[in-house]
Each structure stands twice: as C-alpha cells, then as structure tokens.
Amino acid sequence: MHKLFSYKISLFFLIACCLSAHSQVLRKRTTLLMGGRFDISIVDKDSISAEKNIDEVIAEITRIENLISDWKPTSQVSEVNQNAGIKPVKVDREVFELTKRAIKLSEITNGGFDISFAAMDRIWKFDGSMTEMPSGDAIKKSVEKVGYKNIILDSTESTIFLKLKGMKIGFGALGEGYATDKCRAMMIAKGVQAGIINGSGDMSTWGKQPNGKDWKIGITNPFKPEKILVAIPLKEGAVTTSGSYEKFVVFNGKRYSHIINPATGYPATGLCSVTVFGPNAETANGLSTSMMVLGQKEGLLLLQKFPDYSCILITDKGKIVKSKNFPYKL
C-alpha cells in the first residue's frame, strides 16, 4: 500500500524476555504486507498456539490488503478508482464504513486529511533531483482531482462513487492502523493473552509481557536517533508516528517535507514528526498524518477534539512539544 501521506517512523517496543510462573511464551515474526513491514508479537500458552495465531493475524492483514490496497488491481478500492466519473461501485460494508470514517476526518480537518489524495500529481521530488520549486499553476493543477466532497456514498446500496474522472482514493494513511486494530480485536476475542501488532510504526497492543509488566514503546528523536527520548508503558492501546525527517527539500532556507497538504498541493512545514497515543490505531494514524499537515498550532487544536488521544511533536528546529494531556514526563 502506497504511503501517500507520510513516511512512518519505526517505533521500538521493548520486551523483557523472562517468563512468569504462568508459563506464557512470546513468539515474534516479521513479514512484508500492505507495502511495508509488519512485526507481530504474540503471548500465548504455548509455542504452537502462538505461531498459529500469528498465521491468523497475517491472513487477516492479507485479507484487508486485498480489499483496500489501491495498487492491487483486483481490490475493491481499485475498482472504485477505475470507475471514477463513470458509475458507483458496490463494496463490502467494511470498506464502505472505513471510507465513511475517512471522509469524516477530512471534514474535521477541512481537507488537511483527504483519502482522494491518491489522485495528486507527483510534481514534488524528494530524491535530490529537484532544483527549483514547481510553479504556482503546476501546484494548483496537481490537486485538481483531489477533493473528498466529490466522493458520493450511498449507505443503502453500500456504494462509493467518485464524481470526477481520474479521481482516486487510497488508504495509505489509515490502512495499517485499521489492520492492526482489527487483528488485536480478533486475538482478544479468541482469548489470546497479549501481543503487539506493529504495521510500519502503527501499533496496537493488549495485555502484558510474559513477566507481567506492561509493554513499553520507545520513542526516538529524529535529531538524536541513537537515543530513546521516552519509553511509554501501554496496556491496551495504540501509538502511531508520522514524520518527514528523511525526505525533504530546502528552498531559500525553508524546509519542505514530502508530506503534501492535499488541500493546497504545497508541502507541510514546521513539524518533523508527530507521535499520537490513544485507544485506536486507525484514529491515531489519521491524527498523526493530519497534524503533520496542519502544523503545531492547528494540529494541537485538532487533537483537543479527541480527548482520549495525546501526542508528542518534534519541530523542524528540534523542539519537543507535548499535548497538555500527555501523561508522562520527557
């Protein structure tokens, strides 16, 4: 799945290896899915059960990928895109509801988040080849097919229609978080004691480590990557990070990130990374992406509308800012 909005910074989960008296075992596996890396850790009663449950997690992520990945021509999202400006496409209720939630976030952010960003022309280059900024006309033209208000949903028929030919939707800024949440819910329903599903830096956690301690998520400062900024304990929660510290250009002394504002076509400026904590990885994922686009002031105002979520921001200058409700000292 294309990362249309942001480069996901890998977070670190710190696992103590000693086992408790309950004879729990921890099994881990890494795989590539949805265009990125998934690290799956399961705590279970024995190795066979843990490995079987990891298989089920991988199967579930694969199922979701086959539904919503816009680069897979057989996915339902690809069918929606192929019929842009032509006709509505009937989709599974799961895809419909995910799209509905994405549009709601688009409304809340006034287009700072927009799943139709997939149709944007890639006029900005962050591989070192760009020597001057694109023209204002080129930037305006690059987003002429972007606009969540041109996505028509029919709840009765469960259809999605993109009004403009050439429009596209994509879930690169929500997909991994959604998948990790779904897998966590599936494992909890099965009675699996604990685990972490980490999709390219979008994590869903539940339960405790085999030694009875909480999982700990280590956050790094992009300006000092060799050092952990803070280690946050998580019981049943989620954390996501969006950032731009590796992909950017500088013109006239101003730093432009590879994260583009879908409402304007201009790169986001001001923030280097955003890490959001809360109960749900899909929501945290959407918030971290939106806050990168909106910037520090507007991003923190947005977060106030979601009181169950808190954040750490790192500015382009290396300043560390946390939301008022962030519960830990840095």
Side-chain angles (χ1 to χ4, degrees):
M1 178 172 294
H2 298 305
K3 306 299 188 297
L4 296 173
F5 283 81
S6 62
Y7 174 85
K8 301 293 175 56
I9 301 173
S10 294
L11 306 173
F12 300 93
F13 53 96
L14 315 175
I15 299 176
C17 296
C18 56
L19 299 181
S20 71
H22 300 292
S23 298
Q24 297 172 339
V25 299
L26 170 66
R27 286 291 178 268
K28 297 184 288 181
R29 198 184 307 171
T30 296
T31 187
L32 295 177
L33 290 164
M34 302 180 93
R37 170 174 165 165
F38 272 78
D39 295 289
I40 303 160
S41 301
I42 295 291
V43 177
D44 213 334
K45 57 187 178 182
D46 56 56
S47 298
I48 294 175
S49 295
E51 294 292 345
K52 181 181 178 182
N53 283 316
I54 290 175
D55 289 339
E56 291 189 17
V57 166
I58 290 174
E60 175 67 357
I61 299 168
T62 302
R63 182 191 68 80
I64 293 170
E65 179 178 19
N66 289 332
L67 277 179
I68 69 172
S69 288
D70 57 292
W71 59 271
K72 283 184 173 288
T74 57
S75 75
Q76 291 187 5
V77 165
S78 288
E79 187 180 356
V80 169
N81 293 341
Q82 291 157 10
N83 285 280
I86 301 172
K87 65 178 182 179
V89 173
K90 190 175 183 65
V91 297
D92 289 2
R93 200 70 198 181
E94 179 179 5
V95 177
F96 183 90
E97 294 296 335
L98 180 59
T99 304
K100 185 177 178 180
R101 292 193 298 273
I103 292 174
K104 181 66 175 178
L105 183 59
S106 301
E107 293 170 347
I108 293 172
T109 60
N110 293 316
F113 178 96
D114 195 321
I115 60 165
S116 65
F117 180 76
M120 181 176 174
D121 295 333
R122 305 295 190 264
I123 61 172
W124 295 86
K125 308 295 181 184
F126 300 93
D127 56 4
S129 65
M130 191 165 64
T131 58
E132 61 181 11
M133 287 182 63
S135 68
D137 287 343
I139 293 170
K140 184 178 180 180
K141 186 176 185 299
S142 73
V143 293
E144 65 183 7
K145 297 292 177 64
V146 177
Y148 67 91
K149 293 180 181 179
N150 289 316
I151 303 172
I152 308 301
L153 303 182
D154 185 327
S155 183
T156 302
E157 299 296 327
S158 192
T159 61
I160 303 173
F161 177 51
L162 310 182
K163 289 173 64 176
L164 305 180
K165 200 163 183 66
M167 274 190 77
K168 295 179 182 178
I169 59 173
F171 290 96
L174 291 179
E176 285 98 343
Y178 173 69
T180 64
D181 286 338
K182 287 283 286 185
C183 291
R184 175 178 62 184
M186 182 176 69
M187 290 292 101
I188 290 174
K190 285 192 62 179
V192 176
Q193 300 166 30
I196 293 183
I197 316 295
N198 176 10
S200 301
D202 298 336
M203 291 188 192
S204 293
T205 73
W206 74 100
K208 294 177 179 288
Q209 299 184 58
N211 66 350
K213 294 184 179 180
D214 292 335
W215 302 105
K216 283 193 174 181
I217 309 301
I219 309 300
T220 60
N221 182 338
F223 293 96
K224 298 178 181 178
E226 73 284 350
K227 183 180 178 181
I228 292 177
L229 176 65
V230 63
I232 308 298
L234 284 180
K235 294 179 181 178
E236 184 172 332
V239 55
T240 72
T241 295
S242 298
S244 64
Y245 70 95
E246 287 190 343
K247 294 183 180 180
F248 61 91
V249 292
V250 178
F251 291 120
N252 300 320
K254 189 172 184 178
R255 186 179 187 275
Y256 295 89
S257 89
H258 80 289
I259 300 172
I260 309 297
N261 184 332
T264 66
Y266 282 86
T269 60
L271 294 176
C272 180
S273 76
V274 177
T275 300
V276 174
F277 299 84
N280 177 286
E282 178 195 325
T283 301
N285 197 347
L287 288 172
S288 63
T289 298
S290 301
M291 293 174 75
M292 278 294 301
V293 170
L294 296 174
Q296 178 181 332
K297 182 179 178 181
E298 294 299 321
L300 290 173
L301 287 174
L302 169 66
L303 197 69
Q304 290 179 12
K305 299 177 182 179
F306 297 82
D308 291 336
Y309 294 79
S310 62
C311 76
I312 298 174
L313 312 178
I314 301 176
T315 72
D316 287 346
K317 305 296 184 182
K319 182 181 178 182
I320 299 168
V321 180
K322 60 181 181 179
S323 59
K324 291 181 180 178
N325 64 341
F326 187 74
Y328 302 100
K329 290 184 178 181
L330 299 180

